Amino acid sequence: MPALVCCVDAVVAPPGYAAFIAGDSSLAAAVPFSSSTTATVASGDSISTDWSSAHSAALYRIDSWGAPYFAVNDSGNIVVRPYGLSTLAHQEIDLLKVVKKVSDLKSAGGLGLQFPLIVRFPDVLKNRLESLQSAFELAIQAQCYESHYQGVYPVKCNQDRFVVEDIVKFGSPFRFGLEAGSKPELLLAMNCLCKGNPEALLVCNGFKDAEYISLALLARKLALNTVIVLEQVEEVKLVIDISKKLSVRPVIGLRAKLRMKHSRHFGSTSGEKGKFGLTTNQILRVVKELDGSGMLDCLQLLHFHIGSQIPSTALLQDGVGEAAQIYSELVRLGANMKVIDIGGGLGIDYDGSKSGNSDLSVSYGLEEYASAVVNAIRVVCDRKSIKYPIICSESGRAIVSHHSILIFEAMGAAAPTTPAMNQLNIPFIMEGLSEDVVADYWNLRDAAMRHDNETCIFYAAQLKQRCVEQFKEGTLGIEQLGAVDGLFDLLTKMIGGSESARTYLVNLSIFTSILDFWSIGQIFPIVPIHRLDERPAVKGVLSDLTCDSDGKIDKFIGGETSLPLHELDGCSGGGVNGRYHLGMFLGGAYQEALGGVHNLFGGPSVVTVLQSDGPQSFAVTRAMPGSSCGDVLRAMQHEPKLMFNTLKHRAEEFCGFDAAALSDSVARSFHNMPYLEPASSCSLTAMNGSGSYYCNEEDYNAALVECGVSEDEQWSYCVA
């Protein structure tokens, strides 16, 4: 405790101060992040300088939430294992090398794309599909289930053209289909399935009008295996009438509103009061309506949805068992039932806890999930002596989450606010203080001598508050107030509290790229993608570029309110051009579709990466720059070209000889992304829609010719 007294002693350092400086102090040493986590990764030695990639893998739980697709190599970089457990050592893809290839200037052999960046790995996507299929095939074989599994991908999870096309291509060998919930989703599903397996299902969910139903019936005319799922009783009459007008015999499904539900956040769509589905009496009305129209044989599918992120197989079996009972009753009533669609709900483990008591995790794997589903249906069918149905699921989150990684930079960090002990000037602080404040100071000193930490904090807080009041009254200068703040921060830290988390400014908009964090509190794993062979020394929170107080990430997996990070000084640990790169993982579902343009920050750059046998183990097969300033302005009904002309004429009117250079600068801003560019980077000019950036006029003009851009569409070229 003598060092603490030194903080509040105005003249003489007490005995033992030198020992404290040398490291011998009874005060608890401040740790850079939570003591429980430190103990886990440092075997109880919180000040150990030894650190390895294995420590980081444990600290960030990478082996738990990331297996089998993500790991840390000996260089301290995140690697992607594109084939999961089947990935060989030479097939691992170093994520930092991908970032370097994508972000380096074209003159240096890179693609010149700007951050933030989404990196897609179709090999991971394919492995997820195959793993899901294999899990059901294994369960079906083990339980002698005399039918098959035939899944569909709900395109709402990620409607990106190349993602959907890859799923159709990868799923074609096992008749994997698509699910649509709106008219545009139906149009894209129809288009993609024209190249898919002819037996693949096209499940039409969502609320429907005459146009939606007509489109679905047209899809059936186009020999697509389309099923119209009834969400409302009123839809059945529309289907009957329109199908007769178009002379199309429809395949109809209905969505049942189950009695059971789960209490987690994502369970709000289940239960009798859920948003979707038909009640028992409504199902009977639909059956009667179809029977009266001679179309009961068209009713072939039963659909239900327990809710996303079903936490346990016990809950899953309960819901599937109830639905299987409804299915058997529809068979008894004369419907030509063939398929039971269990909906979504197959969860993923965001935090690596493998717990059924959290929205961030589930207590089962693919094999347990499939086994529970098959068993619940088989038991009911055996009891009712009915034919086993085809099992369909709409597992979107579990299919696409892992294949997409969001990469972003830390552009800077707030400086530590706690002063060093030798920076405190106690006599200066005491000048002009009121008698009450001086009394607080001496009470604080006495408490420090008695080793009374609780009383120390009380008088320190009271002293600080009284100084704030003096400042408001104009009797205390801002320099003294700052010194008092420093004294309070240092005392708090020495008494056992760790230093408050530092804020890292990241080149990102949470509202565009991680909207679920802001909207529903969804937490994703966020990890530095390099320097993981170094011990992180800072507790940090992340602040985005938006002018919004909600634009920050201060909750992380494991219930933490800060993230272990490295110092930014030069980023000597292998970053690209000295930058510090972080990755958000498991965000391939929903984030791109939900993201907005708050503060007019548009979508990130996107690249597709495949595993290859080349020296780097990967090939970038597709690259698209993110939305430019002009793109996001156009999305809000502005006309960038007219805006540029207005500003150009303004420059000519007011700036004389500087007008041309200013106009070029403005044009460059319209073409560049809204995000920050490091000071050392080249100002690149983007070609909207071309997927390329250019650093010189020759390349730019050549691209204009290659792309067939007319003179009317060209803006003034800006030399970077």
Side-chain angles (χ1 to χ4, degrees), residues 248-492:
V248 178
R249 195 74 174 169
V251 173
I252 299 172
L254 56 82
R255 178 168 181 168
K257 188 175 291 187
L258 301 185
R259 308 298 178 100
M260 67 80 57
K261 64 176 297 182
H262 73 84
S263 58
R264 306 284 174 201
H265 168 81
F266 294 106
S268 59
T269 55
S270 60
E272 290 183 273
K273 295 183 179 180
K275 175 180 177 181
F276 304 103
L278 304 175
T279 65
T280 302
N281 285 328
Q282 289 173 329
I283 290 173
L284 293 173
R285 284 174 58 189
V286 167
V287 169
K288 184 177 180 180
E289 189 89 24
L290 290 173
D291 192 26
S293 300
M295 296 177 65
L296 188 55
D297 63 310
C298 297
L299 180 56
Q300 300 181 15
L301 179 145
L302 174 68
H303 171 47
F304 66 95
H305 179 64
I306 298 173
S308 296
Q309 285 285 107
I310 298 172
S312 67
T313 54
L315 194 65
L316 174 68
Q317 282 192 294
D318 186 19
V320 175
E322 180 184 343
Q325 186 64 35
I326 297 173
Y327 180 94
S328 70
E329 288 297 298
L330 291 172
V331 172
R332 182 181 65 81
L333 293 172
N336 185 26
M337 301 301 292
K338 296 180 180 179
V339 181
I340 185 166
D341 178 354
I342 65 174
L346 172 55
I348 62 172
D349 192 357
Y350 286 103
D351 64 5
S353 66
K354 294 180 172 51
S355 167
N357 299 317
S358 167
D359 287 335
L360 298 179
S361 186
V362 293
S363 61
Y364 55 83
L366 292 178
E367 290 77 13
E368 294 101 322
Y369 175 87
S371 179
V373 169
V374 172
N375 180 69
I377 297 172
R378 179 185 59 80
V379 167
V380 173
C381 290
D382 286 347
R383 185 168 64 234
K384 295 289 186 175
S385 300
I386 61 173
K387 184 179 179 181
Y388 295 150
I390 297 169
I391 300 174
C392 175
S393 75
E394 301 176 5
S395 303
R397 185 189 304 268
I399 290 174
V400 298
S401 290
H402 298 77
H403 94 287
S404 178
I405 304 169
L406 176 69
I407 308 294
F408 51 95
E409 305 166 288
M411 306 298 287
T417 59
T418 304
M421 193 177 300
N422 59 9
Q423 293 176 317
L424 289 176
N425 186 341
I426 299 297
F428 171 72
I429 294 176
M430 299 292 287
E431 290 178 6
L433 295 182
S434 67
E435 292 183 4
D436 288 340
V437 178
V438 173
D440 285 335
Y441 170 76
W442 290 112
N443 288 329
L444 170 61
R445 187 184 184 283
D446 291 343
M449 293 295 293
R450 298 193 307 270
H451 297 191
D452 187 348
N453 290 354
E454 187 174 343
T455 303
C456 278
I457 290 295
F458 172 80
Y459 281 114
Q462 186 165 281
L463 184 151
K464 178 178 178 180
Q465 183 58 39
R466 283 176 170 165
C467 287
V468 170
E469 294 302 323
Q470 276 196 243
F471 176 75
K472 291 179 180 179
E473 294 168 359
T475 60
L476 192 70
I478 193 170
E479 296 89 350
Q480 284 177 285
L481 183 63
V484 170
D485 287 339
L487 172 63
F488 180 80
D489 290 344
L490 183 57
L491 283 169
T492 303

Side-chain angles (χ1 to χ4, degrees), residues 551-573:
K552 63 181 178 181
I553 301 177
D554 54 5
K555 293 182 177 62
F556 304 90
I557 63 171
E560 299 292 338
T561 56
S562 62
L563 183 69
L565 297 170
H566 304 85
E567 292 282 3
L568 296 184
D569 302 335
C571 284
S572 57

Side-chain angles (χ1 to χ4, degrees), residues 693-715:
Y693 277 78
Y694 305 94
C695 283
N696 58 69
E697 187 167 5
E698 182 180 349
D699 286 350
Y700 181 87
N701 289 332
L704 290 176
V705 175
E706 182 181 343
C707 297
V709 179
S710 68
E711 291 186 8
D712 291 340
E713 296 174 309
Q714 297 179 25
W715 293 9

Side-chain angles (χ1 to χ4, degrees), residues 34-101:
S34 71
S35 57
S36 60
T37 305
T38 306
T40 301
V41 299
S43 302
D45 183 5
S46 65
I47 61 172
S48 171
T49 57
D50 296 330
W51 198 260
S52 68
S53 297
H55 288 116
S56 287
L59 173 63
Y60 295 105
R61 304 187 181 188
I62 296 170
D63 294 336
S64 297
W65 57 258
Y69 300 109
F70 307 111
V72 187
N73 64 16
D74 292 338
S75 299
N77 300 335
I78 294 283
V79 293
V80 178
R81 293 172 170 168
Y83 311 121
L85 294 174
S86 301
T87 305
L88 302 177
H90 73 277
Q91 295 173 325
E92 292 182 347
I93 300 173
D94 189 318
L95 195 53
L96 187 66
K97 292 181 179 179
V98 173
V99 170
K100 178 175 173 56
K101 175 65 178 177

